[in-house]
Amino acid sequence: MSIYQIIEKYGKKESGLISILQDIQKDKGYLPEEALSIVASEVKVPLSHLYSLATFYNVFSLVPRGRHTINVCLGTACHVRGGARLLDKLKRDLQIEPGETTQDKRFSLEAVRCVGCCGLAPVIVIDGNFHGKLNQKKLDKVLKNYE
Amino acid sequence: MNKEKSEVKTYRTHVLVCAGTACVSNNSLNIKAAFEREIKKQGLENEIQVVETGCNGFCERGPITVIQPDDVFYQQLEEKDIPFLVEEHFLKGRPVEKLMYIPEEKKEPITKMKDIEFFKHQRLVVLKNRGRMDPEQIDEYIGFDGYKALAKALISMTPQNIISEIKASGLRGRGGAGFPTGLKWELCRKSRGDIKFIICNADEGDPGAYMDRSILEADPHAVLEGMIIGAKAIGAHKGFIYVRDEYPLAVQRIRKAIQQASDYGLLGKNIFNSGFDFEVEVIRGGGAFVCGEETALMTSIEGKIGRPRSRPPFPAVKGLWGKPTNINNVETWANVPMIIQRGSKWYSTLGTEKSKGTKVFSLVGKINNSGLVEVPMGITLREIIYKIGGGIPDGKKFKAVQSGGPSGGCIPEEHLDLPVDYEELAKVGAIMGSGGLIVMDEDTCMVDVSLYFVSFLTEESCGKCTPCRVGLQRMKEILIAITEGKGQLEDIEKLQDLVHTIKNGALCGLGQTAPNPVLTTLKYFKAEYEAHIKDKKCPAGVCKALITYSIDSEKCTGCGVCLKACPVEAISGEKKKPHKIEETLCTKCGSCKELCKFEAIVIE
């Protein structure tokens, strides 16, 4: 779907902006500057307004992402069951911080708030697939499925 | 409408495969496919129907399948189990014991779901349809008396009747604060204005709470039905469901439900020929915790950044786009149809004097039976944790239960006999909140938990008010210092000062309640703070700067697993001889402890 079609879908009004940005993000994996410029001129809002939305809401990224996005859940249940240790391991193995992407563009790493799968804590979500009851060793096996 | 689906076909047996998020992540959709394949192979497809249901609740044991009407509960299934299960259970009539649930420290499997402790003590009102129907089929919802309450409300009740009924039921907001729902509706109804809105708050942000997601996934029509009834009572013709984008399955199910309800004429113009019009739109949230606060949520629907504004004016007077607006959370809306259908008298028999009905909790953390439970108000925390939850795993000692998310508090052992209701929880410094109950054991450090919540809130503070934005940052710095062994005794006093400044100075609920986790941990677990500050020790063995890893040479068998697992080569030793950890190299990542089967890794 082109950016113009996405804008059309929600109407050229302010209340549709977050939905428009969400769809662009889903389509492109991030919010490219050119896309934001088009939205700004079509919906007639300043580009700075879109920048404030894109930086306020956690779902948006202004930089391109890797082939796979790893979301490490840091909800309370995951926290008490070792979620932070999984994040530490990923930081160590991938040599990146949350919000960054590996040089080979294989993985982007994110630390996220509760994904609502607390019964299986600790949980990570890769490309929308949930992996629960993990420890550091199982995590290695899971990552092998994402090239 | 799908014609095939509308034909009434009766089956002797239903195979109810849980398709909640946790079970799906455990491969339940392939389990379902395997059941269908095998049942067809055995020529039983006209007798046995496989149904994909919403969350069963016992997430810990997924993937789950329940066979009805036999009520046989199968758990932790794998695809390879299914051919055997189908043959044994359906052809030979022998339920398969090895796939049944065996409680911790017991040997006998339990056959029937109703006999399992986890389910036995629950009282299902909101979750009554969980695990028994396909949430994507409106006909199944209708088959279980769905939309009957709506017909009653639209055809035979006036708006005032509906409001009186909700008021009499004693229903209070399930989002956290517990404001009486009927009164809220009445205020909005009485507000001046031709255009009014209602909103369903499904921006479930509390970490450790997932009941709203589960309700939307398991019974989306109940939420819609509640909203349509509420809209009629208030005089609104447009509603919004603001749901987290992180819940794709919930978004998909509620959208499908809206489509089906519209096709059946249950949404749109002139519903049930009553002359009443109502439509609903789904808005996906952007992943900002503060948007769970009602005024922030409304500015987010307007397409702005979600910052709270001061109240009054309350949303009932001036809400979305300045119009009178009524906002309730998912669980509150889902309670409404049952109250209208069965009457306020019935509903108010459940619960305590001031907290009526049931509450859905997500019982998670260090607990044997993790999952989603619905219990009558007034049940004690001890019953929830020990009877339903089966206690703490690995024989560890209970330390605290955290209730109410980042706005709530940590409740210690001494208050476990507290009956769960809004007032009682507030008395001990916690809140009901949306219903997360996170159990913590002796291996959980309460200073670390306090830091965890403060860090969470520091990041999620929208930044509008200084006490919240800066105050939380200062609290975080102090707590980091304490966990790193750099704390001073006067830090405790400083924390207490900050608690009051933030509580009194912040504009919205997020800020006003933000210090609660610090406040309750200071109140009940002060000794742990002092151990960090005075003795430079973390009694729970969590805070990295204050602990060392070593190997107990008597327990170590020299198997070499830890040596291989250590990412920094800090472990050395010959095969079959006790190994050693070089303290200066150790990063305390915990890899060795996770894998050691002999409990030889010691944290001090």
Side-chain angles (χ1 to χ4, degrees), chain B residues 39-77:
Chain B
I39 285 169
K40 198 162 181 201
K41 203 165 133 192
Q42 304 289 0
L44 297 168
E45 71 268 31
N46 290 324
E47 294 172 52
I48 301 170
Q49 187 188 26
V50 183
V51 182
E52 190 179 315
T53 73
C55 179
N56 163 289
F58 203 175
C59 307
E60 171 96 31
R61 293 286 164 163
I64 287 164
T65 294
V66 182
I67 314 293
Q68 293 293 12
D70 317 10
D71 200 36
V72 176
F73 182 86
Y74 289 120
Q75 46 104 57
Q76 295 182 336
L77 294 174

Side-chain angles (χ1 to χ4, degrees), chain B residues 356-369:
Chain B
K356 297 295 183 193
T358 59
K359 178 77 193 87
V360 184
F361 288 103
S362 64
L363 185 58
V364 294
K366 302 285 187 71
I367 183 118
N368 276 320
N369 303 338

Side-chain angles (χ1 to χ4, degrees), chain B residues 210-376:
Chain B
Y210 63 105
M211 59 289 304
D212 292 345
R213 194 206 68 197
S214 192
I215 294 169
L216 283 177
E217 287 177 7
D219 206 5
H221 285 286
V223 180
L224 277 186
E225 188 177 2
M227 286 181 77
I228 308 168
I229 295 168
K232 155 97 180 179
I234 288 157
H237 301 289
K238 170 99 193 184
F240 295 89
I241 298 175
Y242 187 92
V243 54
R244 290 182 76 189
D245 202 28
E246 292 92 330
Y247 289 176
L249 188 60
V251 173
Q252 178 199 320
R253 294 233 164 109
I254 192 71
R255 279 189 170 151
K256 202 161 189 176
I258 291 172
Q259 186 56 51
Q260 292 171 342
S262 304
D263 290 347
Y264 274 36
L266 298 166
L267 280 172
K269 297 265 177 231
N270 193 18
I271 302 168
F272 280 139
N273 279 328
S274 65
F276 179 68
D277 307 335
F278 183 64
E279 57 174 88
V280 181
E281 192 179 325
V282 174
I283 307 277
R284 289 166 295 154
F289 176 69
V290 70
C291 287
E293 197 278 342
E294 57 183 18
T295 60
L297 187 151
M298 287 185 292
T299 53
S300 179
I301 292 181
E302 290 169 9
K304 305 184 179 96
I305 60 172
R307 283 218 174 103
R309 58 164 181 74
S310 64
R311 298 175 306 174
F314 286 93
V317 178
K318 221 174 166 191
L320 197 55
W321 291 295
K323 309 289 182 201
T325 303
N326 179 79
I327 176 163
N328 286 120
N329 99 320
V330 173
E331 193 183 334
T332 316
W333 287 119
N335 265 290
V336 171
M338 285 292 274
I339 295 172
I340 296 299
Q341 198 189 324
R342 297 191 62 177
S344 58
K345 238 187 200 152
W346 162 79
Y347 190 82
S348 61
T349 57
L350 297 165
T352 63
E353 193 196 336
K354 288 185 175 165
S355 304
K356 297 295 183 193
T358 59
K359 178 77 193 87
V360 184
F361 288 103
S362 64
L363 185 58
V364 294
K366 302 285 187 71
I367 183 118
N368 276 320
N369 303 338
S370 275
L372 212 60
V373 303
E374 183 173 4
V375 288

Side-chain angles (χ1 to χ4, degrees), chain B residues 92 97 126 145 192 242 251 259 409 428-429 444 452 503 578:
Chain B
K92 298 181 182 161
E97 288 200 348
V126 174
D145 290 339
R192 283 163 180 253
Y242 187 92
V251 173
Q259 186 56 51
V428 295
T444 313
Y452 164 78
K503 253 186 184 307

Side-chain angles (χ1 to χ4, degrees), chain B residues 187-211:
Chain B
L187 291 171
C188 192
R189 164 139 205 108
K190 284 184 178 161
S191 266
R192 283 163 180 253
D194 300 333
I195 299 173
K196 292 177 184 176
F197 298 110
I198 62 166
I199 298 173
C200 171
N201 183 350
D203 192 47
E204 183 172 53
D206 279 1
Y210 63 105
M211 59 289 304

Side-chain angles (χ1 to χ4, degrees), chain B residues 72 103 122 169 218 221 412 451 456 461 532 539 559:
Chain B
V72 176
Q122 295 195 44
S169 75
H221 285 286
L451 171 61
F456 178 98
S461 169
H532 284 72
C559 70

